[in-house]
Amino acid sequence: MTSKRKKTVLITGCSSGIGLALAKEAHAAGYEVVATARNLEKIRDLEALGISCLKLDVNNESDISSLKNHFRSSTQPIDFIINNAGIGTMIPMADISPEALEQQFRTNVFSIVHLTNALLPILKKQGKACIINIGSVSGILTTPFAGAYCASKSALHSISEAYRMELAPFGIDVVIVQPGAIASAFGDNASAVTENLIKEASFYKPIEEAIRRRSRASQERPSSAESFARSLLKQMGKEHIPAVIRIGNGSTLLPLLPRILPARLLDKMLSTPFQLNRLSK
């Protein structure tokens, strides 16, 4: 009797947080994992576990081409792609530079389209695959000082929905994951970006600590990255994976707020914790 083939999962952004936990948990669950990161040195520990590690800066066309060639020249199929790599730019919209806005969308939206389209001929030839895009509840509930980030995740949700309908005839499923608060380095990374963007002349300088607090909000009472990974893997094991998956603290309640509360009331509820009322004349 022939042994059952291990399913292969390709994961982007594996140097920390969700990506790192997914790589480890998927490997432990028996998947053939291909973990990627911009800096290979940051995922050497995964390599030591027997996980295949490849360099991938999702904004680098050469890296995407190399990844495509890796799978094209291999007999290894791609059962799952988890598009996890992303960044968070937490800054008032009045202060965001064109470069920072472009970088937010380039990483969280455009790169996913580029990578997906590069691998689609391989997936179509296989006749069956699943693309999992890591969105966010922030793509449903917009908060102050996170407009660009929320918009990028909202765009990713819409693009994923279009892909889901357009790729279904080819046996390719597309799933949107909308995490709530998940413990990761995301807050630290977002804080570092925010520090570089807050200017002395900003209208919001008097409440700059509130901007910093928004950059750390995803780390308030978070679910662990490991529990997130295990929950997602459980869903991936189902014959029919849900089209939308919500995991983590706040992932169920927060998306409901825009549906049940009047817009002005919701604005007030979200603005007050970030001290926008202090700026009123």
Side-chain angles (χ1 to χ4, degrees):
M1 181 180 294
T2 57
S3 60
K4 189 176 180 181
R5 177 183 68 82
K6 286 186 176 182
K7 289 188 176 182
T8 297
V9 55
L10 167 65
I11 309 170
T12 69
C14 292
S15 60
S16 65
I18 288 175
L20 179 61
L22 278 169
K24 289 181 176 179
E25 295 292 338
H27 176 70
Y31 285 87
E32 192 72 41
V33 178
V34 179
T36 70
R38 284 186 302 171
N39 186 345
L40 275 177
E41 291 304 315
K42 291 188 175 181
I43 54 174
R44 291 299 183 195
D45 288 348
L46 294 178
E47 201 168 48
L49 294 175
I51 295 173
S52 297
C53 295
L54 298 174
K55 179 182 180 300
L56 177 65
D57 178 343
V58 294
N59 290 319
N60 186 302
E61 290 294 340
S62 178
D63 283 3
I64 291 176
S65 180
S66 295
L67 182 69
K68 178 181 178 180
N69 290 335
H70 168 83
F71 282 104
R72 191 162 53 184
S73 62
S74 169
T75 57
Q76 183 180 31
I78 311 172
D79 297 286
F80 295 94
I81 299 174
I82 303 181
N83 286 306
N84 164 71
I87 62 170
T89 303
M90 306 299 171
I91 198 74
M93 290 306 301
D95 291 344
I96 196 166
S97 68
E99 295 78 16
L101 182 60
E102 182 180 343
Q103 180 69 14
Q104 180 68 89
F105 276 81
R106 186 187 304 123
T107 304
N108 288 10
V109 184
F110 305 155
S111 72
I112 292 175
V113 174
H114 294 161
L115 178 60
T116 298
N117 288 351
L119 296 176
L120 273 181
I122 298 171
L123 303 184
K124 184 176 181 294
K125 187 176 181 180
Q126 291 176 185
K128 185 176 178 60
C130 180
I131 299 168
I132 300 174
N133 293 332
I134 306 297
S136 174
V137 293
S138 293
I140 302 171
L141 178 67
T142 302
T143 57
F145 311 135
Y149 174 70
C150 294
S152 72
K153 290 301 186 179
S154 180
L156 177 59
H157 295 171
S158 292
I159 285 170
S160 299
E161 289 171 355
Y163 267 132
R164 187 174 67 236
M165 293 181 282
E166 294 166 3
L167 296 181
F170 309 117
I172 302 170
D173 195 12
V174 179
V175 173
I176 308 165
V177 181
Q178 297 169 352
I182 306 296
S184 71
F186 181 88
D188 292 339
N189 294 336
S191 294
V193 172
T194 296
E195 288 298 326
N196 292 327
L197 294 177
I198 299 176
K199 306 299 183 185
E200 286 296 324
S202 171
F203 300 157
Y204 306 92
K205 187 66 176 177
I207 58 169
E208 62 179 316
E209 182 51 39
I211 303 173
R212 294 191 185 94
R213 188 162 65 251
R214 176 58 189 91
S215 69
R216 300 189 297 267
S218 66
Q219 300 308 295
E220 293 178 2
R221 295 181 293 109
S223 302
S224 73
E226 291 74 19
S227 66
F228 170 90
R230 288 190 292 270
S231 295
L232 180 53
L233 287 167
K234 183 177 180 180
Q235 296 295 329
M236 288 166 57
K238 294 181 177 179
E239 183 177 355
H240 299 291
I241 306 175
V244 178
I245 298 171
R246 291 175 179 155
I247 304 170
N249 186 29
S251 63
T252 302
L253 174 61
L254 294 179
L256 288 177
L257 297 182
R259 295 173 57 184
I260 63 177
L261 295 178
R264 297 296 184 186
L265 175 59
L266 183 59
D267 287 352
K268 186 174 182 180
M269 285 179 58
L270 295 173
S271 297
T272 301
F274 295 107
Q275 302 181 23
L276 283 165
N277 57 314
R278 284 182 50 194
L279 301 178
S280 302
K281 293 183 178 180

